[in-house]
Amino acid sequence: MQRRELLRFAAAAPLAGAAARLIAAPAAEGAKLLVVFLRGAYDSTSLLVPTSSDFYYASRPGIAIGRPGASGGALPLDADWGLHPALAQSVMPLFQQKQAAFIAFAGTDDLTRSHFETQDGIELGQALDRRRDYRSGFLNRLAGVLGAGPLADVSPMAFTDQLPISLRGDARAANMALAGNARPTLDARQSQLIASMYRDTPLAQTVAEGFQVRDEVRRAMQAEMDAASRNAMTAKGFELVARRMAALMRERYDLGFVDVGGWDTHVGQGAATGYLANRFEELGRGLAAFAQEMEPENWRQTVVVVISEFGRTFRENGNKGTDHGHGTVYWVLGGGLSAQAGGRVVGEQQALTATTLFQNRDYPVLNEYRAVLGGLFQRMYGLSPAQVAKVFDGVTPKDLKLV
């Protein structure tokens, strides 16, 4: 019997008992979900630029993205927001086709600003006022709900070298890394050439000491970035991995997870160009490749959610970078986004001024991630309130009408 016929047969058959009616989910045939976790807390204020805020430009004299129309300026999305120009050839076309949306002021209420604590908390998806159970991640619980009855046959897959916390649990889940890490290295040759130019001059010692201090700082910052990334691949290798993921999800897997590291930009993050711009360009190219490789029929039933553990400080720091923050911006992509969401910045928002920042430093969280994802899952899979509670206990879903 073909799967479509089996689904029709199962839909006509009564479920056994009240418990089954509460757990088994009428998942839409062919629906696919990919979660992309940007480990290291990316600077969402450089991605989704508050172009109507004079306070933004005053707060970031060295790293602000220019207003639309300026050289290297943001790509206009609406009257208040612009998109980083590095995404002009990748995510912007999806936004214009109403296949991409952004959720501003998103995130978790966790206030530790610790990479590890917050990454774990998000992947677990459990209430903050309860003891953590590391045996149960939110994507595994979703897989359990979807696969509990005869209406769904869900196959979860993590495209990582180890099974992530989000897919730990009772439901069977596979994992397989599709690429190795590609960490950037320092160019020692250029440093040596510059130092040789000043050899036997009064500046020789100053130049040598300067390079030594720079190398020490970079080593320290690289160690923190590597730790924050938890061995996730960098964005540089993401496009090829994205195409491989699409081929696997197109044919076999319904729930996917991948993490991308390298987003902890305390020093020299750049503006329209530079380190962060390069990461955005590489990530965007990968996401566009994933959409293309899924092919139109599958892409219409696919949702990609891009998340990070938290945002970064609204003001730039003294090293032309940003520090650990709070609220962030989630990306939602897919060929079947709703007319209410596709091509829009969605969710609760507020003006950005000195008085509206959280603790006078960060984006506030106005769209709590468990509520937002609960609302998305409710729409994607037709989950009941009891089924959503199996995934995110104690949450009232927030329906942003994403699909």
Side-chain angles (χ1 to χ4, degrees), residues 328-345:
T328 185
V329 174
Y330 288 177
W331 319 17
V332 183
L333 303 93
L337 296 193
S338 70
Q340 296 97 322
R344 295 185 58 195
V345 179

Side-chain angles (χ1 to χ4, degrees), residues 71-354:
S71 177
L75 309 171
L77 300 182
D78 59 28
D80 296 315
W81 301 103
L83 187 65
H84 194 290
L87 297 166
Q89 304 302 317
S90 57
V91 176
M92 188 63 181
L94 292 172
F95 188 88
Q96 292 169 332
Q97 296 165 32
K98 302 188 184 305
Q99 295 179 15
F102 298 99
I103 307 173
F105 304 100
T108 173
D109 292 328
D110 186 304
L111 297 179
T112 63
R113 294 190 177 89
S114 160
H115 292 296
F116 308 136
E117 287 287 325
T118 314
Q119 287 176 21
D120 288 359
I122 286 177
E123 290 196 68
L124 290 170
Q126 298 163 10
L128 294 177
D129 60 353
R130 299 181 186 178
R131 185 174 181 177
R132 289 180 172 180
D133 180 359
Y134 279 87
R135 299 169 299 176
S136 177
F138 81 88
L139 279 177
N140 191 283
R141 295 195 297 274
L142 175 63
V145 168
L146 297 178
L151 299 183
D153 181 16
V154 175
S155 298
M157 177 70 171
F159 303 101
T160 56
D161 59 354
Q162 295 182 339
L163 191 69
I165 291 173
S166 61
L167 275 171
R168 291 181 187 174
D170 295 333
R172 293 184 62 183
N175 71 285
M176 179 178 64
L178 301 182
N181 289 338
R183 298 177 183 176
T185 58
L186 299 177
D187 189 345
R189 184 185 64 84
Q190 292 181 350
S191 299
Q192 292 171 356
L193 286 173
I194 294 172
S196 68
M197 293 171 57
Y198 289 92
R199 188 175 298 134
D200 300 325
T201 73
L203 292 175
Q205 184 175 352
T206 301
V207 170
E209 290 175 352
F211 279 126
Q212 181 180 355
V213 171
R214 181 207 63 176
D215 290 345
E216 289 174 354
V217 170
R218 285 189 177 180
R219 280 195 297 270
M221 297 311 302
Q222 187 63 50
E224 180 178 347
M225 288 181 66
D226 290 345
S229 297
R230 287 188 166 179
N231 295 319
M233 65 179 168
T234 66
K236 188 173 183 178
F238 186 58
E239 181 177 0
L240 177 59
V241 170
R243 291 190 181 278
R244 291 171 176 171
M245 289 192 304
L248 289 167
M249 291 194 69
R250 190 178 64 228
E251 301 298 331
R252 182 171 180 180
Y253 296 101
D254 309 286
L255 293 177
F257 176 95
V258 67
D259 49 13
V260 182
W263 303 96
D264 197 22
T265 53
H266 289 280
V267 178
Q269 73 175 43
T273 60
Y275 178 85
L276 184 60
N278 292 340
R279 302 293 82 73
F280 281 147
E281 196 274 334
E282 292 156 353
L283 178 67
R285 201 167 60 231
L287 292 171
F290 180 86
Q292 180 186 50
E293 201 73 26
M294 286 298 290
E295 301 176 352
E297 181 179 356
N298 293 293
W299 182 237
R300 281 193 294 270
Q301 299 181 83
T302 299
V303 175
V304 178
V305 181
V306 182
I307 65 176
S308 196
E309 62 260 41
F310 43 72
R312 306 191 74 83
T313 49
F314 191 75
R315 300 177 181 88
E316 70 179 68
N317 63 26
N319 294 315
K320 304 290 185 185
T322 49
D323 298 320
H324 298 180
H326 189 45
T328 185
V329 174
Y330 288 177
W331 319 17
V332 183
L333 303 93
L337 296 193
S338 70
Q340 296 97 322
R344 295 185 58 195
V345 179
V346 300
E348 186 179 348
Q349 302 173 38
Q350 66 181 29
L352 288 166
T353 67

Side-chain angles (χ1 to χ4, degrees), residues 377-398:
F377 299 162
Q378 197 172 49
R379 277 190 167 262
M380 280 187 70
Y381 302 112
L383 302 188
S384 69
Q387 290 160 350
V388 173
K390 292 283 185 181
V391 183
F392 296 120
D393 185 28
V395 161
T396 300
K398 187 168 189 173

